[in-house]
Amino acid sequence: MSKPIHLALASALALTLATAAAGAPAKPAAEAVAAAPYRWPGLAPGAVEEMAAMRDGVKLAANVFKPAGTGPWPVVMTRTPYLKDGRIDKEHDPDGSKRREALVKQAKHYTDAGFVYVLQDVRGKGRSQGFYAAFENDVEDGYDSVEWAAARPWSNGKVGLSGGSAMGITANEAAMAAPPHLKAAYVVVAPYDLMQNSYMGGVLKEKDVLGWSKGQGVSDEVLNTQRRRVGDDIFWNRAAMSTNRKYIQIPIYNVGGWYDIFDHGNVSNFEYLQNHGAKGARGNQKLLMGPFGHGALSGDLEYPGFDRLNLAGDQELRWFDYWLKGVDNGIMDEPPVGYYMMAGAEKGQLSPKNRLLTSANWPPANREVRYYLTPDKVLSGKAPSGDGVKVSYRFDPADPVPTVGGANLTFERGPMDQRAIPARQDYLRFQTPALDKDVTIAGPVKVELYGATDGLDTDFMAKLVDVYPDGYEALVLDAPVRARFRHGRMPDDVRMMTPGAPEELDIDLWSTAITFEKGHRIALHITSSNSPRFEVNPNTGEAPGEHRQAPRVAANTVYMDAAHPSALVLPVVYPDGK
């Protein structure tokens, strides 16, 4: 993949310690000043280190790489918590030569194209001053850094932001501050809302959030605080894209992956900004979605065709040529959305139906088609009748269903074979008969689940699975819902369950694009745990992070009758087979 996606696959930080950036900037950073350029032994060849003073006097360090010739030039900036001079690897790169070579290659991507490249350490990282608190200062610091770069002698006053994952988050936060000289951004795999991403459906991503934090030496006290931070509050929303993207005034090219931890982020941000954004943003967005994750995919599927397209890097430079240089290269005459339509992809047997498609918007035109759950574990196109039809199971927190793949960061990820989960009474597999024709979907997937439990609270988990003719159960999407948060996560939305009473619990599985080919089966797996991907619910009804009561075994029930038509809802394209 190109440089931006390579950067994007490096980071877990976006999942972990994010609290909130402070409010919108009170004033421009025109008074931000730079110390004299300085060379030090850690610099990559061709770089000059410059210091930018933020509004509170803290100075942030940046490596500045300039094109050959005489400026001024447009600027592409990346703001990183991962050290502008690269990480030291005494085992594999003792003299730092590989590190410096990678940084030079990264900069050359831009300088050869006629841009100054600025790689800046965020506050408290690397050679920048201040205290590091993940994403708490990146609204103001992003604003001030853009305005500083615009005022430098080597700059023509037009600045773009580029980055993936954590660097995509810093780009989005700066864009929300609307610095006057920021003209465009290129954002790879970044979330729309850290709370919604870290606590999907109100359930904490156990291993990727707490597991990663613990590996960094975070105390148990802080980890328990993170467990309790599931509710919606001002601290999440001060820097949330979902709350503040209405202030963005620039074109953004979003690149995401169908198996990435931030799949929903790039899609959601594009949808909002393209259709409802402020002047300057609305109608000027681009989206590219590919078949990749936040790291190499695990399992027996692969999508080599997307790598050969090599679109991301080429499109980035075209994007900045258009918005920072005014080059009429036709990029804005092309469809706003490019997305990879996945299909059969067992290694060595890539179906020709895997292909890149375009669309005027996201999602493409589709129709919701419901596949109803039946007691004989079939997904049926016919709505259920009768009364009291249901399937029950016992959910024991001491014996959770193990995680096999999914949109993970710190462990195996992607479309892994769910047959690794053996038959067990608390894991319900529903599937269609073998398809007599292709079923193509593109857009958001959800499950309308009618569930009950014998206690006050529990979890339900759903997985969309593509079952191959040879039996391979390829995971496509998965997500949970915590019963108490079925109506939302504002304090007044929280409702405990009435024991034994069925209620609708909608599960948002996020978006995808896949063709379930003729001969395959569409499957929906329902359970109540998926560990260590998600925190295991103790079924006690205690508040998140409380452990005063011993976990209990819950009797959970899925209803599937006329009054409670549990269904998988798919965005089917060409529903009539045309």
Side-chain angles (χ1 to χ4, degrees):
M1 295 302 294
S2 66
K3 184 275 316 172
I5 289 180
H6 173 72
L7 284 176
L9 304 182
S11 159
L13 205 52
L15 285 171
T16 55
L17 302 177
T19 49
K27 60 179 181 179
E31 297 175 2
V33 297
Y38 173 66
R39 292 189 180 276
W40 71 287
L43 280 177
V48 173
E49 184 179 77
E50 298 195 25
M51 304 295 289
M54 302 294 99
R55 64 190 62 196
D56 61 355
V58 169
K59 293 180 180 178
L60 306 187
N63 287 350
V64 179
F65 299 84
K66 302 172 191 175
T70 303
W73 303 272
V75 179
V76 176
M77 171 181 279
T78 297
R79 305 189 63 253
T80 179
Y82 299 117
L83 309 184
K84 68 178 179 61
D85 299 311
R87 292 174 172 173
I88 296 174
D89 185 345
K90 294 182 179 179
E91 181 179 356
H92 300 102
D93 186 27
D95 63 355
S97 59
K98 294 180 181 178
R99 167 175 54 85
R100 289 189 290 272
E101 181 181 349
L103 290 170
V104 169
K105 183 178 180 181
Q106 179 178 333
K108 188 175 173 62
H109 174 78
Y110 300 103
T111 57
D112 281 359
F115 300 97
V116 175
Y117 182 55
V118 178
L119 182 59
Q120 183 188 58
D121 284 333
V122 298
R123 180 180 296 246
K125 284 287 187 174
R127 288 178 55 79
S128 287
Q129 298 174 350
F131 175 77
Y132 177 67
F135 313 119
E136 286 194 18
N137 303 289
D138 290 309
V139 171
E140 291 94 340
D141 285 356
Y143 182 107
D144 292 354
S145 297
V146 167
E147 293 303 292
W148 165 81
R152 300 300 295 142
W154 32 258
S155 171
N156 71 357
K158 294 183 178 181
V159 180
L161 288 168
S162 179
S165 197
M167 290 72 79
I169 295 173
T170 61
N172 280 335
E173 291 199 14
M176 291 188 293
H181 290 89
L182 181 62
K183 303 303 179 183
Y186 190 87
V187 175
V188 183
V189 293
Y192 78 112
D193 189 306
L194 287 165
M195 178 191 73
Q196 300 287 350
N197 193 281
S198 297
Y199 302 80
M200 289 180 65
V203 183
L204 174 67
K205 288 182 179 177
E206 179 83 26
K207 186 170 177 65
D208 277 347
V209 176
L210 297 192
W212 188 90
S213 297
K214 192 168 186 177
Q216 305 305 306
V218 176
S219 69
D220 288 340
E221 180 181 1
V222 172
L223 295 179
N224 283 332
T225 298
Q226 287 182 276
R227 287 188 185 279
R228 293 191 290 269
R229 290 210 58 218
V230 63
D232 198 344
D233 59 35
I234 183 61
F235 301 104
W236 282 115
N237 286 287
R238 284 161 65 188
M241 283 285 282
S242 58
T243 303
N244 299 304
R245 56 192 173 191
K246 62 186 177 184
Y247 301 115
I248 292 175
Q249 301 173 9
I250 60 166
I252 299 180
Y253 200 123
N254 270 281
V255 179
W258 292 133
Y259 292 105
D260 189 79
I261 56 174
F262 299 136
D263 164 10
H264 189 51
N266 296 99
V267 169
S268 175
N269 288 336
F270 167 84
E271 284 186 282
Y272 178 87
L273 293 171
Q274 180 73 350
N275 298 292
H276 310 290
K279 183 179 179 181
R282 186 170 60 251
N284 288 325
Q285 307 297 303
K286 293 281 186 178
L287 175 67
L288 175 64
M289 295 297 296
F292 58 86
H294 220 83
L297 296 181
S298 309
D300 293 328
L301 303 190
E302 62 179 358
Y303 302 90
F306 187 78
D307 288 338
R308 290 196 298 271
L309 293 172
N310 193 28
L311 285 176
D314 294 341
Q315 296 296 62
E316 180 193 18
L317 293 180
R318 292 183 68 216
W319 187 245
F320 286 133
D321 277 344
Y322 184 91
W323 290 107
L324 301 186
K325 293 182 182 178
V327 177
D328 188 6
N329 53 23
I331 193 168
M332 294 306 292
D333 298 325
E334 298 165 2
V337 178
Y339 66 98
Y340 190 97
M341 173 60 69
M342 299 182 291
E346 287 185 293
K347 291 180 179 177
Q349 303 179 58
L350 186 72
S351 167
K353 295 175 182 178
N354 286 278
R355 61 206 188 277
L356 188 73
L357 299 177
T358 60
S359 176
N361 210 330
W362 185 266
N366 64 71
R367 185 176 74 193
E368 286 190 347
V369 175
R370 282 168 173 76
Y371 291 82
Y372 295 96
L373 283 62
T374 69
D376 55 358
K377 308 295 176 58
V378 171
L379 289 178
S380 171
K382 183 179 179 180
S385 59
D387 181 49
V389 182
K390 59 189 178 182
V391 174
S392 299
Y393 58 88
R394 297 171 67 256
F395 162 36
D396 183 356
D399 183 26
V401 174
T403 297
V404 180
N408 303 319
L409 172 70
T410 59
F411 60 121
E412 290 184 311
R413 66 192 67 81
M416 295 181 68
D417 190 350
Q418 301 306 290
R419 289 180 298 179
I421 301 172
R424 46 188 290 168
Q425 59 84 31
D426 62 346
Y427 194 83
L428 311 180
R429 286 173 160 93
F430 300 85
Q431 62 181 17
T432 66
L435 299 173
D436 59 7
K437 63 180 180 180
D438 291 354
V439 175
T440 299
I441 68 171
V445 177
K446 65 180 177 180
V447 174
E448 296 170 344
L449 185 75
Y450 289 87
T453 186
D454 65 344
L456 297 176
D457 190 29
T458 194
D459 292 345
F460 288 95
M461 311 265 172
K463 298 178 181 179
L464 176 64
V465 176
D466 181 7
V467 182
Y468 283 63
D470 64 5
Y472 189 99
E473 295 181 344
L475 179 61
V476 181
L477 296 167
D478 69 326
V481 64
R482 182 147 292 179
R484 70 171 67 208
F485 298 121
R486 63 195 179 278
H487 300 303
R489 274 182 268 178
M490 291 290 287
D492 290 344
D493 294 333
V494 178
R495 297 282 191 279
M496 306 308 287
M497 296 287 281
T498 299
E503 293 203 36
E504 183 173 355
L505 304 102
D506 291 343
I507 302 176
D508 180 3
L509 287 173
W510 294 359
S511 288
T512 193
I514 187 170
T515 297
F516 297 94
E517 295 191 67
K518 180 180 178 180
H520 289 224
R521 299 170 188 263
I522 301 170
L524 175 69
H525 296 180
I526 299 293
T527 185
S528 285
S529 56
N530 183 353
S531 179
R533 174 159 160 72
F534 296 109
E535 178 185 53
V536 178
N537 195 322
N539 300 320
T540 61
E542 289 182 291
E546 299 291 338
H547 305 287
R548 296 190 180 95
Q549 301 177 35
R552 60 179 293 274
V553 177
N556 290 346
T557 300
V558 177
Y559 281 75
M560 47 196 78
D561 58 23
H564 311 96
S566 294
L568 168 66
V569 185
L570 296 181
V572 176
V573 182
Y574 317 124
D576 299 320
K578 297 178 181 178

